Amino acid sequence: MALTDRAIRAAKASGTIAKLSDGSGLQLWITLDGAKRWRLAYRYNGRQKTLAIGVYPTIGLQDAREARDQAKRLLAAGQDPTLTKRLTKASKLAASANTFDAVADELLEKKHPRSQAERTTSKIEWLLSLARPDLGARPIADITAPEILRVLKSGRGPSRLETAKRLRATIGQVFRFAVATGRADVDPTAALRGAIASPWSSTGLLFIRNPKEFGGS
C-alpha cells in the first residue's frame, strides 16, 4: 500500500527499526531516535543492496518517489545507483575544490602574514574581493579571458585603471597557482596584457605652448 504524508507524519518510533513500504522498493525507515529515513531496496548483479535517499521531511514523499524512479532508470541502464551517487558526490567535491574561490583561498593561505607583510596580504584580499562575485563560484579551468576582462572593466572611481592593472596581476597569481597545482592549463590573464589602458594619460600631462614665453625671452 502506498504511503501518504499523513501516515508518514503519524508514524512513531518503536523498539525496533520500523520499515514502511511505498512500493517498488521504496521504504521509509523509522529509527530508534525517531528519525525518518528514505531507503531504496534493490538488486544489482544478483546482490541485495540499499540506497540511502535522504531524511524526511527534508526529502518529501514526492521527492523520494522521483529519486526511486531515477534509480530504477539507472538500473535499467545497467548502472548501480549507489555507485553513481558516490561518483556524483565525489565529482561535486572535486569541482568545489577547483573553483576560483577555492584556489584563491589556498593562495592566500600560502601568503599568510607569517610569510608576507600583513599589509600586502590585506591588499591581495581586497583585490580578490573585486573578482569573487563574478568568478568565485566558477571552475577555474573554465574561466576565459573575456570573463576576466569584464571584471577588470567593471571598476569605478579615479583610480580604476591602476586598480584594474593590479587586479589583473592578482588574478594571474591565482591562475598560475592553479596551473602549478594541476587545476588549470593556462593563465588567461596573459592574453589581457595591453587590454587595459595605462593609468597615465597624455592628456593629463603639462606641456609648453610657447617656449619663448617660458624662457622669458
Side-chain angles (χ1 to χ4, degrees):
M1 182 176 178
L3 293 173
T4 64
D5 279 310
R6 183 175 180 179
I8 293 171
R9 290 193 298 269
K12 304 295 181 183
S14 60
T16 59
I17 296 177
K19 299 180 182 180
L20 308 180
S21 177
D22 187 60
S24 298
L26 180 62
Q27 301 172 341
L28 183 71
W29 291 15
I30 306 175
T31 54
L32 301 182
D33 59 0
K36 300 173 181 179
R37 296 178 169 86
W38 293 108
R39 297 290 186 268
L40 177 67
Y42 67 97
R43 296 187 70 83
Y44 182 75
N45 284 344
R47 293 179 55 194
Q48 185 66 36
K49 305 189 72 173
T50 303
L51 173 68
I53 294 177
V55 179
Y56 181 89
T58 303
I59 302 297
L61 178 57
Q62 188 58 40
D63 292 335
R65 287 171 175 169
E66 290 176 2
R68 173 196 60 196
D69 294 343
Q70 175 63 24
K72 293 292 185 180
R73 286 191 286 270
L74 290 172
L75 284 168
Q79 301 178 51
D80 183 353
T82 298
L83 178 59
T84 300
K85 181 180 179 180
R86 289 174 182 168
L87 292 175
T88 300
K89 183 178 180 179
S91 177
K92 288 180 178 178
L93 288 173
S96 66
N98 293 334
T99 62
F100 181 88
D101 270 346
V103 178
D105 288 341
E106 285 187 37
L107 180 65
L108 284 172
E109 183 65 25
K110 292 176 67 68
K111 294 179 177 293
H112 191 270
R114 287 176 297 181
S115 58
Q116 286 207 11
E118 186 170 357
R119 181 178 178 183
T120 300
T121 306
S122 296
K123 186 175 293 185
I124 293 173
E125 290 177 345
W126 175 74
L127 287 166
L128 288 173
S129 73
L130 303 178
R132 288 183 189 271
D134 294 296
L135 306 180
R138 298 270 288 120
I140 194 162
D142 294 344
I143 297 174
T144 63
E147 286 182 84
I148 299 171
L149 184 59
R150 284 194 294 271
V151 174
L152 299 182
K153 288 185 173 181
S154 65
R156 297 291 184 270
S159 61
R160 64 185 182 278
L161 293 178
E162 181 62 27
T163 298
K165 289 185 66 177
R166 293 180 184 274
L167 180 56
R168 184 190 67 80
T170 301
I171 293 174
Q173 290 185 52
V174 176
F175 271 94
R176 287 190 292 277
F177 182 65
V179 171
T181 54
R183 285 172 285 186
D185 295 324
V186 296
D187 170 17
T189 65
L192 298 178
R193 293 193 179 102
I196 299 296
S198 170
W200 302 110
S201 171
S202 60
T203 58
L205 297 177
L206 297 176
F207 62 95
I208 301 170
R209 293 180 181 275
N210 191 322
K212 290 185 178 181
E213 289 181 3
F214 180 77
S217 58

